[in-house]
Amino acid sequence: MIITDDPEAIRRLLLGVKTIAVVGCSPKADRDSHQIAEFLVSKGYDVIPVNPAVKEILGRTCYPDVKSIPQKVDLVNVFRAPEHVPAIADDAIQAKAEALWLQSGIIHDAAAKKASDAGLYVVQDRCSRTLHTVLLRT
């Protein structure tokens, strides 16, 4: 669909998604991935943690990767180093997710283009909690 920095497009995306896979979600409460997953849960999203090292985070079943999630995922929110993004983007495409979101500091232009070309909205190098708070005023 589009690789976007457009605030209105991001606002509509955040309003439209229901199920968010948080790839690289940490069981440690002091980590950004854990805190943002917890924030997204508090905002009513169905958050699915993705981390092959643990079985449960935030009281939710944790999956080793996106392709192992047995339900539809709307948005894949990535907290992994850029070298891991191509495989995650492929999983997001295969899962027919609506969007791929690379958190602050994470950029992979080739994977973003591939996901965009496959019809996903792509956001790179942006914090989902910050934009949720600013754009949805929550």
Side-chain angles (χ1 to χ4, degrees):
M1 289 275 193
I2 188 169
I3 299 173
T4 188
D5 277 332
D6 176 51
E8 183 56 28
I10 294 170
R11 188 181 78 75
R12 283 192 313 270
L13 175 66
L14 290 170
L15 287 170
V17 299
K18 303 283 186 248
T19 304
I20 301 175
V22 179
V23 180
C25 191
S26 175
K28 297 177 183 175
D30 63 331
R31 297 283 176 95
D32 287 342
S33 62
H34 184 96
Q35 292 171 6
I36 291 175
E38 194 170 45
F39 170 83
L40 294 169
V41 168
S42 78
K43 296 304 174 187
Y45 296 101
D46 180 13
V47 173
I48 302 170
V50 177
N51 182 328
V54 293
K55 295 198 183 296
E56 186 178 287
I57 298 174
L58 296 171
R60 296 161 182 267
T61 301
C62 197
Y63 293 90
D65 49 45
V66 173
K67 63 187 168 208
S68 298
I69 298 171
Q71 69 190 80
K72 170 90 168 79
V73 172
D74 300 320
L75 186 146
V76 176
N77 194 349
V78 181
F79 286 87
R80 296 292 315 271
E83 62 266 21
H84 300 286
V85 171
I88 297 165
D90 287 344
D91 283 356
I93 293 165
Q94 184 179 7
K96 296 183 173 41
E98 294 173 32
L100 177 68
W101 190 300
L102 307 181
Q103 283 293 137
S104 297
I106 305 170
I107 299 170
H108 197 293
D109 291 332
K113 182 177 181 339
K114 184 175 183 180
S116 179
D117 289 349
L120 281 71
Y121 284 93
V122 179
V123 178
Q124 289 195 95
D125 192 24
R126 299 287 179 263
C127 176
S128 55
R129 176 178 51 194
T130 299
L131 288 179
H132 192 286
T133 301
V134 169
L135 299 174
L136 301 182
R137 309 221 191 289
T138 63

